[in-house]
Amino acid sequence: MDARLALLAAFALLAGCQSPSQSGSVVDARKDQETAKSDFLAADPAKQDQGVKGMKGFNRAEPPASLKMAAKQDTEPLGFRPATYFAKNCAACHGKFGAKFDEKAKEKVGEKEFALVVADMAKSKAKEPVFGRELAALVDYTKAEMLGVPYVGWVKDSVYETSSGSQVVVRGPGDSRKVSETEIAAKGLKKGSELLVTRGGKSASLMFPAAQSHGDFAVR
């Protein structure tokens, strides 16, 4: 009889360590704790932390492009006359205001190498190389003359150059007057004054003190 009681006591003790789950299967509490721990922690913490170095447990994605700081606007005068440079160094081959550019040449405007072509011609043909902001202004002015779109660049003080055949209206403080086919004098401009340049039904807007503005260079 004592042997039976001892066997029943041992069975009861074993049942106390393992209890049935709601589904009827036996649950091991220690195993459940280990499973929960592994589910909570990343399998590879190093990968999880790639987003933010030095902060474990956080994976922050890159901020959307809309929240990234915009490029700083160029608000200094060019100190360069793109229209004057073109008339002096390019018109002999390409015609006054680019009149001799044909349709095949105009198709080159959209190519990434266009600026390199202008830079090479300025160096090898005109013998007056241009770089940086001067090159960028010359490229934009050349594109404007090739495609018949408006261009305006702030040279210095009250001096601005535009593409040929352009009309300029000042919106806000200030006024302008035409000096030549490609030069205007704009005086009294304040921050926020707008130079609205129109040409052949197309327009470009320069908000003072921006360095330059131009119309759409898309080749259609």
Side-chain angles (χ1 to χ4, degrees):
M1 189 70 177
D2 291 339
R4 283 185 175 182
L5 290 175
L7 184 60
L8 289 173
F11 181 79
L13 181 62
L14 181 62
C17 294
Q18 293 181 329
S19 58
S21 67
Q22 293 181 356
S23 62
S25 61
V26 176
V27 176
D28 188 326
R30 288 178 300 177
K31 186 176 180 181
D32 282 353
Q33 289 178 350
E34 292 296 325
T35 302
K37 184 178 180 181
S38 64
D39 287 344
F40 178 76
L41 296 178
D44 188 349
K47 290 184 178 180
Q48 190 183 29
D49 295 336
Q50 285 177 357
V52 181
K53 293 183 179 179
M55 296 181 64
K56 288 190 173 297
F58 293 90
N59 184 16
R60 298 181 182 178
E62 283 289 318
S66 59
L67 296 182
K68 293 183 179 180
M69 185 177 293
K72 186 177 180 180
Q73 186 182 33
D74 189 353
T75 57
E76 295 294 328
L78 297 170
F80 174 70
R81 293 174 174 263
T84 301
Y85 182 100
F86 187 94
K88 176 185 175 183
N89 299 292
C90 311
C93 294
H94 300 301
K96 187 178 182 181
F97 310 129
K100 293 183 180 180
F101 283 116
D102 57 22
E103 292 302 317
K104 187 175 181 180
K106 293 177 183 178
E107 292 176 359
K108 303 287 185 181
V109 166
E111 296 181 358
K112 293 181 179 179
E113 295 79 13
F114 186 81
L116 297 178
V117 172
V118 174
D120 180 66
M121 295 188 74
K123 180 181 178 181
S124 61
K125 302 292 185 182
K127 306 300 182 183
E128 289 190 26
V130 289
F131 308 94
R133 296 170 76 234
E134 294 184 1
L135 175 60
L138 180 60
V139 168
D140 286 348
Y141 175 81
T142 302
K143 287 182 177 182
E145 293 294 20
M146 291 175 74
L147 301 177
V149 301
Y151 168 89
V152 56
W154 182 19
V155 177
K156 64 177 181 177
D157 301 325
S158 62
V159 180
Y160 290 78
E161 285 198 327
T162 67
S163 48
S164 60
S166 297
Q167 301 297 320
V168 180
V169 175
V170 178
R171 291 178 173 177
D175 58 71
S176 69
R177 64 180 179 85
K178 198 165 187 177
V179 177
S180 69
E181 181 67 16
T182 57
E183 183 181 328
I184 64 168
K187 297 183 178 181
L189 303 183
K190 304 292 185 182
K191 187 175 182 179
S193 294
E194 178 188 18
L195 289 180
L196 181 63
V197 185
T198 57
R199 182 189 193 191
K202 303 172 184 178
S203 63
S205 173
L206 185 151
M207 300 298 294
F208 183 83
Q212 62 176 347
S213 179
H214 56 75
D216 184 10
F217 288 152
V219 180
R220 295 178 177 85

